[in-house]
Amino acid sequence: MRFLRLSRANASTLLAVALVASGCTPRGLDAPTHVDWPMYRGDLRGTGYSPLTQITPDNVASLTQGWSYSLRTPTLLGGGPGQGSQEPNSQATPIVIGDVMYLPTVDRVVALDATTGEQIWWHSIVDGAPSRRGVSYWAGEDGIPPRIFFSSRRRLIALDAATGTPATDFGQSGEIDMGIPYISVPLVYENIVVVGANTPRGAPGGIGNPRAFDARTGEKIWEFSSVPQPGSVGHDTWAGDSWQGRLGANAWPFYFTMDEQRGHLYVPLASPIPFAYGGDRAGAN
């Protein structure tokens, strides 16, 4: 079964809107109700739902721009960190923890004041770029401060959420080599960071597997074979040796989802390659 991609929207500027009608101000809340948006789709179930009620069908026409922040390379805008001249083509949903918003730009990860748009910190990516789809937040534990996780092709990178500096206790100076690229948003559950795999065309099989790493150390915790190996459930649905060296069947979603009560992770997989011809792999696969 193919997994349906989320719709894409190109963007080069992050916009924030503010209510100016009905006595509301950008911060306009006599009784502020802080509801964080701590992950790409809002929660582990991927609902994309917010219980906030300040914006309604009655006042939405009164929204005006409160601030903006360019996602382009700062060197193109007159100085600062940056590499090259590429456009961001952003697909990111920013995350918000308290008053701080975190998101990737074309060549950096930044923390902004969610109310004013003021930049709190930036972290420039050397030899690559952050995933244009977003970042993840880990709350920390036992003296380890909160972290921001994101991917840059084969690299999984951890930053201190307060300062934007590398979390040096994670992997090698704040990053690990995942081995296989993943260009979407890691899922963080408890102390586990789950990533998928973006299988390059024509590459050897067996690289579509989702993997999990320890949010504290970067140590690999598990890897799930998307094409069942001998002795695994479903292996008999790949006739003969058609499971060997199989391309595709990779976990490539923008984001994973979970049933938190049961601790179940849901992993959408792409079709085996070649996706339009199954003559070399009889069976249900």
Side-chain angles (χ1 to χ4, degrees):
M1 182 174 69
R2 302 296 300 278
F3 177 66
L4 182 65
R5 280 188 184 272
L6 302 179
S7 61
R8 296 183 174 186
N10 295 341
S12 60
T13 304
L14 178 67
L15 297 177
V17 293
L19 287 172
V20 296
S22 306
C24 292
T25 67
R27 224 174 166 95
L29 315 163
D30 291 335
T33 53
H34 252 152
V35 177
D36 290 346
W37 193 266
M39 52 193 75
Y40 178 76
R41 289 286 297 163
D43 54 39
L44 287 169
R45 293 173 295 165
T47 62
Y49 171 75
S50 170
L52 295 175
T53 58
Q54 185 179 0
I55 298 174
T56 70
D58 295 328
N59 64 25
V60 67
S62 300
L63 292 173
T64 62
Q65 181 176 311
W67 55 262
S68 68
Y69 181 88
S70 176
L71 305 180
R72 291 188 174 94
T73 306
T75 50
L76 301 180
L77 304 172
Q83 309 164 25
S85 59
Q86 69 267 38
E87 286 291 323
N89 190 22
S90 179
Q91 300 170 340
T93 297
I95 60 174
V96 179
I97 312 295
D99 290 318
V100 183
M101 176 181 290
Y102 304 93
L103 71 152
T105 73
V106 68
D107 59 357
R108 296 154 288 144
V109 169
V110 300
L112 308 177
D113 183 303
T115 302
T116 66
E118 181 181 357
Q119 183 174 269
I120 299 170
W121 56 252
W122 57 264
H123 179 86
S124 185
I125 310 304
V126 179
D127 297 328
S131 167
R132 60 184 174 172
R133 292 173 178 168
V135 302
S136 301
Y137 176 82
W138 177 64
E141 69 155 23
D142 296 336
I144 305 176
R147 291 174 174 173
I148 298 298
F149 285 97
F150 62 96
S151 63
S152 177
R153 300 300 298 173
R154 288 175 39 161
R155 301 153 66 195
L156 178 62
I157 301 173
L159 304 178
D160 185 294
T163 65
T165 56
T168 55
D169 291 340
F170 181 83
Q172 298 294 318
S173 302
E175 65 179 71
I176 60 173
D177 184 344
M178 296 183 290
I180 303 302
Y182 184 55
I183 59 173
S184 294
V185 186
L187 178 139
V188 175
Y189 171 68
E190 296 182 350
N191 295 324
I192 301 170
V193 182
V194 180
V195 299
N198 293 92
T199 308
R201 288 195 177 276
I207 62 175
N209 300 342
R211 294 144 289 155
F213 300 92
D214 191 307
R216 298 159 295 191
T217 65
E219 180 182 355
K220 180 186 276 191
I221 299 173
W222 55 256
E223 179 170 346
F224 175 79
S225 295
S226 60
V227 176
Q229 303 299 293
S232 298
V233 174
H235 176 72
D236 58 346
T237 69
W238 295 76
D241 293 330
S242 64
W243 59 276
Q244 292 187 354
R246 178 56 54 190
L247 303 177
N250 55 315
W252 57 263
F254 276 42
Y255 194 64
F256 295 94
T257 56
M258 278 198 64
D259 181 330
E260 194 170 3
Q261 267 190 320
R262 295 178 174 86
H264 289 176
L265 174 72
Y266 295 94
V267 179
L269 298 174
S271 298
I273 295 176
F275 74 90
Y277 172 75
D280 66 337
R281 47 181 168 85
N285 304 146

